[in-house]
């Protein structure tokens, strides 16, 4: 039950939950192949029957390096893809719409649908001719799906999607200046502060930006010993964010104190490519690494519930009162909950389901997608 | 005759035998008596044993025998002897008989005279005794008369005698009275002369009498006079006492006299202490002056000597005098003295501590220990006198504190020495290399560091060992016998140092300079080896040395050798792992730059191995040499075949064929991927940053793993043209040619390089691999 491997058949690095979907467990995976038409696989996981269903959409524009789904519209997604022309490679970004019937997943047999693979409808390009390669596209969280930010080389670009997303207008931008070849590797949009903050990673530095005037808020120099690969905001604590990188470490930061990390994890034995907070229970942190492992950690001491789940006094009996008191007295210990070793190649993407907070997917380079659940015992421990 | 003589006399008579019978008989008789005595005393007849058979005492023919039978004798003579001999015997016999007869006669004559004179003497004595009896009778009568006369005289003189006795009593009384009447003038004179002691004695003698008869006016006057004079005397004494300059013994005398005059003891003892305090404070001030910043402070030994002889000696005198003078004061007085001593003592201690604090930085323990010894020894005397003041305890405490600080100082010294060694090593490593030759060998540096630290440790041990030397007065205190040895020296100094050494070494692993490597990798390697050496030998050696030097009697728990060794081993492991990381990172960065900065799509057909690969091999070789200086070779997996001949071919494995099978359908890739997955199942997962073992091969394997994994990940992020792929092929083959020899399992290098080439092929839209033979040619040329 806990693991459900799914093999895509092509190399893949891009994975996202269908953010706007809150009922069904659905992930979008983009493939990365130079030889064949690339695809977006819509993976549906039937929780009750433990069955995976897959629909394939063609993405003929090029190999997909990054994918993100609109938080407002189930059918809208953005990809960063490579376009090769005249012995030149350029990474572009575009916003797409999937066919209506696939938005909520179709439960046809995969064999039938595969032969008649459908195509994505292009909504608009994010024109980057002046800015360079697109590293990632992030949507404004909890917004109306009209604002996105893309990172292109050393530029951070804020776009307004207009006329039902068929047009992307560059609203504002900022760029990193400095010695050497500065390039953004990844970015996240903070759900706090009225969605006015974005954090980016470039080389070993983390930076925070204010989207209203595109100015830098904070800067964590040398956040990692080597390249920072990814970062994520704590959904419940507004100043907390996690980052990971090539020094095999995962670090947790309070952005008000940029000199020292709050906590450092060193569980992986190679570069950590992805770090994700659980959307509801921020003590659960998921990391994926090129040592082919996915690690689920319980960072309860720096979470928003450091003493476990606090139960309201009103609706508990005396017995429970006693127990909860006991629980609240001793701060819980941080620990690794589980190490998942189903992958055999580097894991470049992990993410939580947007519908079920206890479920997550991980994707390795060989195209294997694994869906796992938080161990039941821990789930009840957190809930009760 | 000769025969008879032989028979008659014992053969023992020897040569002295005279032919004359009686002459010969005398010694014989004497011998007989001797024989009896000897028999009596249980002595065997020494030389008599020479007597061959001895005459049979029962022989009836023996003339001298008890059982002599004349008939048998004659019979025998007649039967055995010829006539002539019989004749001779007869004459001889007759001659002997005559001689015996004449002997008997002379004896009788001689003794007769003596009997006669004896009888005369007895008769004369009878006469004399009768005369004496008469004399005695007369004496008795005379004596009776004398007794009678004597009794009469006594009776007559009785009356006079009584009168004379009375007169003598009156005379004595009068003399006493005269003394009393003369007392005032005598006292005055004494006071004038300064013979205070005499005056006080007079006063003491007269006091009681005057007190008793003060109702009589004349006595009263005398008493008043005396009192006036005494008061004056007391005043003068006090004056002298207050002036105080005359020194402690005289003061003590004054006090004694004043006490005898009945001055209130309470007040006196207060005053006594005030004076003593003044003197002692003087001593303290002079000590403080020695402490002062301006004059060059005398060495600590001199200081404690001054303190000991000046202050402590003074305190001793005061205490002794006080106890002698005011013994009557009881516990209250003793308490007062104790408080006094305590207060001044604490001030003294404060001064001593200030002085000792100045000594903390110094390196000479022996002087300090000697100073402490004197200090402590001096204070034991007043300590005995003033047990209540607890001076000895306080002094011991100070000594203990100093000892503790000393230990801390030595620990710091050791740490500083270690850091100094590290700085030296850094400098040696950073020093420009002599052209052509490597600088100072790492092994040499390691030996230098190890021996330097060891000698520092030994020096520190020797230095603190002074504290426990037998002749030092405080070495038998429980602290120095137990806690100092176990907790202080063993735990605090030695274990503490080893721990801090490990910590310092480990701190190099956590240094934030992961990028540049603020710590030279060679230093990491050296420290790692140093810690490993500590684990294997040095720690147990040092601890054994410590335990031997400081016979630890304390039962408090101490860190076992194994724990410390485990810590050192862990440190060594972390350092070596960090070394691998750092070196791996250096090579990784090179590889990453080379992959990231190149335009792989429009690259030309490969003609050469890229310079960076040669550099990687060179660096790896250099690392191999460096590690080889300090670590053993390690175990290598058996080589299968000539690995260098293995050429990369993109399509060599079935796995890749599966990957490139042109299939869209989800079902078809399932199968091929199944194949690749099965293959992966059989190859072990490679832990890139896995812990390393303590040998060269393991270290090199770690570094190469990290480097190649980086290469793989970087390749996967790029897109390659046909020639780009071929270049990767060439580079990987080159690496294969040179790297396999460094690693434990060459399969590992194959596997990783295979992956790199396969990934490059995946990332190539137009994968046309180069002919293996061409690859080989290029690599051999490069």
């Amino acid at each position: 039950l806990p693991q459900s491997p799914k093999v895509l058949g092509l190399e893949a690095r891009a994975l996202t939950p269908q953010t706007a979907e809150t009922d069904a467990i659905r992930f979008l995976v983009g493939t990365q192949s130079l030889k064949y038409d690339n695809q977006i696989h819509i993976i549906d996981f039937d929780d009750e029957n433990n069955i995976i269903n897959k629909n394939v959409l063609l993405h003929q524009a090029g190999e997909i390096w990054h994918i993100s789904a609109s938080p407002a519209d189930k059918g809208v997604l953005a990809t960063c893809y490579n376009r090769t022309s005249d012995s030149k490679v350029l990474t572009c970004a575009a916003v797409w719409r999937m066919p209506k019937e696939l938005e909520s997943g179709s439960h046809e047999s995969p064999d039938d649908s595969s032969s008649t693979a459908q195509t994505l409808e292009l909504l608009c390009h994010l024109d980057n001719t002046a800015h360079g390669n697109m590293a990632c596209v992030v949507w404004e969280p909890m917004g109306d799906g009209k604002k996105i930010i893309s990172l292109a080389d050393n530029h951070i670009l804020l776009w307004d999607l207009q006329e039902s997303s068929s047009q992307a207008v560059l609203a504002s931008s900022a760029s990193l200046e400095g010695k050497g070849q500065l390039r953004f590797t990844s970015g996240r949009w903070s759900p706090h502060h009225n969605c006015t903050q974005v954090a980016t990673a470039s080389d070993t530095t983390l930076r925070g930006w204010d989207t209203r005037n595109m100015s830098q808020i904070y800067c964590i120099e040398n956040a990692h010993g080597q390249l920072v690969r990814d970062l994520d905001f704590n959904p419940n604590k507004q100043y907390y964010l996690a980052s990971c990188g090539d020094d095999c470490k995962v670090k947790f930061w309070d952005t008000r104190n940029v000199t020292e990390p709050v906590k450092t994890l060193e569980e992986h034995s190679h570069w950590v490519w992805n770090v994700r907070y659980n959307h509801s229970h921020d003590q659960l942190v998921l990391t994926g690494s090129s040592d082919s492992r996915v690690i689920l950690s319980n960072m309860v001491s720096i979470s928003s519930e450091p003493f476990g789940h606090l139960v309201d006094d009103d609706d508990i009996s005396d017995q429970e009162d006693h127990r909860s008191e006991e629980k609240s007295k001793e701060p819980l210990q941080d620990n690794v909950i589980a190490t998942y070793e189903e992958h055999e190649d580097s894991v470049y993407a992990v993410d939580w389901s947007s519908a079920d907070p206890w479920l997550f997917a991980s994707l390795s380079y060989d195209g294997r997608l694994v869906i796992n659940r938080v161990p039941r015992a821990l789930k009840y421990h957190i809930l009760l | 005759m000769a025969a008879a003589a032989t028979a008659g006399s014992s053969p023992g008579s020897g040569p002295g035998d005279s032919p004359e019978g009686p002459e010969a008989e005398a010694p014989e008789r004497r011998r007989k008596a001797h024989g009896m005595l000897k028999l009596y005393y249980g002595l065997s007849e020494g030389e008599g044993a020479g007597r061959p058979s001895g005459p049979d005492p029962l022989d009836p023919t023996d003339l001298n025998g008890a059982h002599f039978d004349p008939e048998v004798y004659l019979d025998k003579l007649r039967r055995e002897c010829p006539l002539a001999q019989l004749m001779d015997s007869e004459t001889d016999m007759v001659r002997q008989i005559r001689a015996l007869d004449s002997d008997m006669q002379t004896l009788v004559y001689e003794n007769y005279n003596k009997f006669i004179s004896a009888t005369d003497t007895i008769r004369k004595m009878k006469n004399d005794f009768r005369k004496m009896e008469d004399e005695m009778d007369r004496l008795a009568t005379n004596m009776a008369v004398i007794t009678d006369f004597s009794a009469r005289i006594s009776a007559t003189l009785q009356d006079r005698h009584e009168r004379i006795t009375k007169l003598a009593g009156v005379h004595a009384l009068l003399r006493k009275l005269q003394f009393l009447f003369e007392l005032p003038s005598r006292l005055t004179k004494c006071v004038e002369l300064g013979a205070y002691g005499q005056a006080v004695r007079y006063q003491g003698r007269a006091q009681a009498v005057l007190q008793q008869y003060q109702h009589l006016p004349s006595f009263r006057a005398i008493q008043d006079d005396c009192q006036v004079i005494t008061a004056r005397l007391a005043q003068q004494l006090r004056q002298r006492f207050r002036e105080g300059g005359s020194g402690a013994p005289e003061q003590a005398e004054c006090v004694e006299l004043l006490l005898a005059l009945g001055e209130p003891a309470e007040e006196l003892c207060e005053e006594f202490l005030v004076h003593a305090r003044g003197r002692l404070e003087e001593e303290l001030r002079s000590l403080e002056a020695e402490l002062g910043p301006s004059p060059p402070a005398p060495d600590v030994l001199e200081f404690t000597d001054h303190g000991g002889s000046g202050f402590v000696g003074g305190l001793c005198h005061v205490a002794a005098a006080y106890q002698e003078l005011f013994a009557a004061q009881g516990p209250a007085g003793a308490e007062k003295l104790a408080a006094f001593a305590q207060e001044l003592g604490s001030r003294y201690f404060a001064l001593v501590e200030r002085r000792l604090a100045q000594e903390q930085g110094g390196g000479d323990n022996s002087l300090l220990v000697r100073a402490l010894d004197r200090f402590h020894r001096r204070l034991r005397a007043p300590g005995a006198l003033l047990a209540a003041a607890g001076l000895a305890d306080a002094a011991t405490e100070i000594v203990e504190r100093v000892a503790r600080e000393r230990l801390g100082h030595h620990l710091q010294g050791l740490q500083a020495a270690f850091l100094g060694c590290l700085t030296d090593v850094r400098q040696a490593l950073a020093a420009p290399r002599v052209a052509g030759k490597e600088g100072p060998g790492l092994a040499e540096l390691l030996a230098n560091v190890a021996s330097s630290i060891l000698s520092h440790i030994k020096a520190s041990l020797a230095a603190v060992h002074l504290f426990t030397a037998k002749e030092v007065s405080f070495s038998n205190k429980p602290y120095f016998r137990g806690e100092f040895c176990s907790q202080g020296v063993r735990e605090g100094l030695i274990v503490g140092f080893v721990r801090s050494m490990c910590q310092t070494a480990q701190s190099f692993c956590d240094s934030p300079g992961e990028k540049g490597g603020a710590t030279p990798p060679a230093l990491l390697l050296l420290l790692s080896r140093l810690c490993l050496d500590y684990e294997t030998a040095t720690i147990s050696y040092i601890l054994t040395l410590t335990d031997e030097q400081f016979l630890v009697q304390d039962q408090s728990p101490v860190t076992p050798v194994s724990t410390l060794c485990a810590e050192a081993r862990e440190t060594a492991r972390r350092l070596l792992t960090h070394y691998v990381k750092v070196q791996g990172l250096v090579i990784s960065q090179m590889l990453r730059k080379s992959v990231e900065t190149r335009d792989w799509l429009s690259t030309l057909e490969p003609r050469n191995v890229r310079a960076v690969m040669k550099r990687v091999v060179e660096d790896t070789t250099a690392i191999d040499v460096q590690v080889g200086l300090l670590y053993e070779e390690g175990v290598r997996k058996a080589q299968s075949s000539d690995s260098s001949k293995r050429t990369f071919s993109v399509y060599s494995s079935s796995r890749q064929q599966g990957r490139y099978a042109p299939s869209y359908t989800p079902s078809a890739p399932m199968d091929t991927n199944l194949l690749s997955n099965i293959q992966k199942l059989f190859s072990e997962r490679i832990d890139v940053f896995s812990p390393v073992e303590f040998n060269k091969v393991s270290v090199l394997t770690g570094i190469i793993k990290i480097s190649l994994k980086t290469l793989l990940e970087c390749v996967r992020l790029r897109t390659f043209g046909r020639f780009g792929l071929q270049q990767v092929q060439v580079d990987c083959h080159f690496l294969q040619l040179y790297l396999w020899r460094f690693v434990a399992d060459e399969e590992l290098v194959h596997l990783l390089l295979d992956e790199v080439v396969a990934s490059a092929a995946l990332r190539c839209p137009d994968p046309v691999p180069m002919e293996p033979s061409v690859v080989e040619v290029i690599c051999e040329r490069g």
Side-chain angles (χ1 to χ4, degrees), chain A residues 37 63 246 269 344 346 348, chain B residues 592 664 680 689 713 763:
Chain A
D37 279 339
E63 48 174 9
D246 286 0
S269 72
E344 271 144 20
S346 304
Y348 293 131
Chain B
R592 168 187 255 165
Y664 257 23
K680 279 212 161 187
F689 290 104
E713 292 295 336
R763 299 296 310 147

Side-chain angles (χ1 to χ4, degrees), chain A residues 61-93:
Chain A
E63 48 174 9
I64 301 165
W65 286 80
H66 186 264
I67 189 167
S68 53
S70 161
D73 189 338
K74 288 188 218 174
V76 176
L77 60 125
T79 60
C80 297
Y81 56 92
N82 267 8
R83 200 166 57 194
T84 314
S85 57
D86 311 335
S87 70
K88 275 260 187 189
V89 178
L90 187 65
T91 314
C92 308

Side-chain angles (χ1 to χ4, degrees), chain B residues 742-757:
Chain B
F742 298 122
V743 298
D745 181 9
E746 62 180 271
E747 270 304 311
L748 192 84
V749 178
H750 295 167
L751 211 71
L752 280 164
L753 288 172
D754 271 349
E755 287 254 16
V756 173
V757 178

Side-chain angles (χ1 to χ4, degrees), chain B residues 261-332:
Chain B
L261 285 179
E263 293 288 319
E266 192 100 350
E267 194 183 307
L268 274 176
C269 100
E270 288 286 344
E271 227 166 297
F272 180 77
L273 288 182
V274 166
H275 276 275
R277 178 188 297 273
R279 270 201 315 280
L280 292 174
E281 274 177 354
E282 192 70 31
E283 294 284 353
L284 286 177
R285 265 195 293 282
S286 88
L287 279 179
E288 198 164 7
E290 280 182 21
L291 261 184
S294 45
D299 70 41
V300 66
L301 191 59
E302 217 172 300
F303 180 85
T304 44
D305 267 352
H306 283 181
S309 57
F311 174 79
V312 181
L315 189 63
C316 281
H317 281 305
V318 170
Y322 184 92
Q323 284 182 337
E324 208 173 292
L325 294 173
F326 303 107
Q329 287 282 302

Side-chain angles (χ1 to χ4, degrees), chain B residues 165-417:
Chain B
T165 314
K166 215 183 250 172
L167 281 174
V170 171
H171 178 71
L173 195 64
L174 283 174
R175 273 185 64 176
K176 274 189 192 161
L177 276 175
Q178 190 188 6
F179 170 75
L180 280 181
F181 283 120
E182 281 176 8
L183 188 61
S185 61
R186 277 188 192 220
L187 282 176
T188 322
K189 206 169 176 187
C190 280
V191 169
E192 274 167 12
L193 287 174
Y196 302 112
Q198 186 74 21
V200 170
R201 264 197 301 286
Y202 288 151
Q203 163 71 15
R205 267 164 62 186
Q207 186 86 31
V209 182
L210 290 174
Q211 197 73 33
Q212 196 180 342
Y213 294 106
Q214 62 181 335
H215 54 276
L216 299 178
S218 53
F219 284 109
R220 176 125 206 165
I222 292 169
Q223 193 189 17
D224 289 347
D225 278 359
C226 282
Q227 267 169 358
V228 170
I229 294 165
T230 310
R232 214 169 64 226
L233 174 64
Q235 207 157 3
Q236 277 190 16
L237 279 172
R238 274 182 188 244
Q239 187 67 29
R240 236 180 99 191
F241 176 57
R242 283 203 191 100
E243 276 161 12
S246 38
E250 283 167 50
Q251 275 206 329
E253 191 195 333
C254 285
V255 171
E256 199 179 356
L257 295 177
L258 283 171
L259 273 177
L261 285 179
E263 293 288 319
E266 192 100 350
E267 194 183 307
L268 274 176
C269 100
E270 288 286 344
E271 227 166 297
F272 180 77
L273 288 182
V274 166
H275 276 275
R277 178 188 297 273
R279 270 201 315 280
L280 292 174
E281 274 177 354
E282 192 70 31
E283 294 284 353
L284 286 177
R285 265 195 293 282
S286 88
L287 279 179
E288 198 164 7
E290 280 182 21
L291 261 184
S294 45
D299 70 41
V300 66
L301 191 59
E302 217 172 300
F303 180 85
T304 44
D305 267 352
H306 283 181
S309 57
F311 174 79
V312 181
L315 189 63
C316 281
H317 281 305
V318 170
Y322 184 92
Q323 284 182 337
E324 208 173 292
L325 294 173
F326 303 107
Q329 287 282 302
E335 260 170 46
K336 216 178 271 179
L337 179 64
F340 170 78
Q342 214 159 12
E343 192 216 323
L344 285 173
S346 64
R347 281 169 60 185
Y348 173 60
F349 289 150
L351 287 176
V352 170
E353 282 204 85
R354 267 170 65 191
R355 182 67 187 89
L356 288 172
Q358 289 178 8
E359 211 58 27
Q360 268 316 317
D364 189 6
N365 253 10
S366 65
L367 196 67
L368 182 69
V369 170
R370 271 167 61 204
L372 285 174
D373 179 33
R374 298 227 180 137
F375 164 71
H376 188 258
R377 211 184 278 275
R378 261 338 267 239
L379 272 169
R380 277 200 304 192
L385 276 174
L386 302 163
L391 289 187
D393 290 347
T396 310
E397 251 170 52
I398 286 180
V399 173
E400 282 178 19
R401 204 152 47 231
V402 170
R404 276 198 196 98
E405 277 166 18
R406 240 12 238 178
L407 284 177
H409 175 74
H410 278 288
L411 179 59
Q412 275 173 10
L414 282 179
Q415 282 164 352

